[in-house]
Amino acid sequence: MRLLFCHDGPMAVDCNGNAYPQTFTEQVLSRYYSIAKELVFFTRTRLIDPDETEAKKVNMEKLTIVNSPNLSSIRGIARTRKAKEILRDELDKSDCLIARLPSRIGALAVRIAVEMNKPYLVELVGCPWDSLRHHSWQGKMVAPFAY
């Protein structure tokens, strides 16, 4: 089974495509590997120098990282069409979706999965009101709608 995992991230990657996640350790990733042979992360990425990070590189044998445009900004609204194209393509190739919410990428992925009749699971890791209301002035504006 191919599982698509969507969240805002960002995920640290090097120039060779290796991932150095701070929160997604091998132990955390093993939860998803127990239900899927292939795991695809659709998230924002940031390029790093592996010699300048303390994060450990994860085994990329079953993991693929697909870079998402940053949708969490005012300019990000203009990038939504590109993100939708990538998500539709990745969902078409995947058996199911896990969306980590609250996140713009995760919420967009759920909407598209519903349109495509793809099964999905939501990991709710925080209250949208609290996470947005206390983040920035833009978050204060979006919080009531996300809640």
Side-chain angles (χ1 to χ4, degrees):
M1 174 177 11
R2 185 177 198 261
L3 174 65
L4 180 62
F5 188 95
C6 296
H7 72 106
D8 285 348
M11 177 86 68
V13 296
D14 66 18
C15 61
N16 296 318
N18 296 308
Y20 297 81
Q22 293 178 324
T23 55
F24 289 97
T25 63
E26 289 289 344
Q27 184 179 10
V28 172
L29 290 172
S30 69
R31 298 175 196 165
Y32 307 107
Y33 293 146
S34 67
I35 58 172
K37 290 187 178 189
E38 184 182 356
L39 179 60
V40 178
F41 265 70
F42 182 68
T43 186
R44 294 179 301 149
T45 61
R46 63 181 171 84
L47 193 60
I48 63 158
D49 181 350
D51 297 330
E52 296 177 7
T53 185
E54 293 181 18
K56 290 185 178 182
K57 179 175 87 169
V58 294
N59 183 351
M60 298 298 292
E61 187 176 314
K62 297 180 182 181
L63 179 65
T64 304
I65 308 293
V66 177
N67 185 33
S68 169
N70 181 7
L71 304 181
S72 299
S73 69
I74 302 275
R75 282 188 229 135
I77 295 167
R79 298 180 184 120
T80 303
R81 184 169 44 196
K82 178 66 175 167
K84 284 180 178 180
E85 289 173 11
I86 299 168
L87 272 169
R88 281 192 180 93
D89 182 51
E90 291 299 327
L91 275 166
D92 192 45
K93 296 186 282 187
S94 299
D95 298 302
C96 63
L97 164 72
I98 294 181
R100 181 170 276 199
L101 300 178
S103 75
R104 297 251 321 150
I105 294 169
L108 182 62
V110 169
R111 282 195 297 271
I112 294 170
V114 169
E115 289 172 10
M116 297 176 70
N117 292 320
K118 285 282 183 175
Y120 66 93
L121 175 90
V122 171
E123 281 187 358
L124 188 59
V125 295
C127 173
W129 176 266
D130 289 339
S131 65
L132 291 168
R133 183 80 181 142
H134 303 291
H135 186 269
S136 65
W137 68 269
Q138 294 104 330
K140 287 175 178 49
M141 291 173 47
V142 176
F145 304 101
Y147 182 73

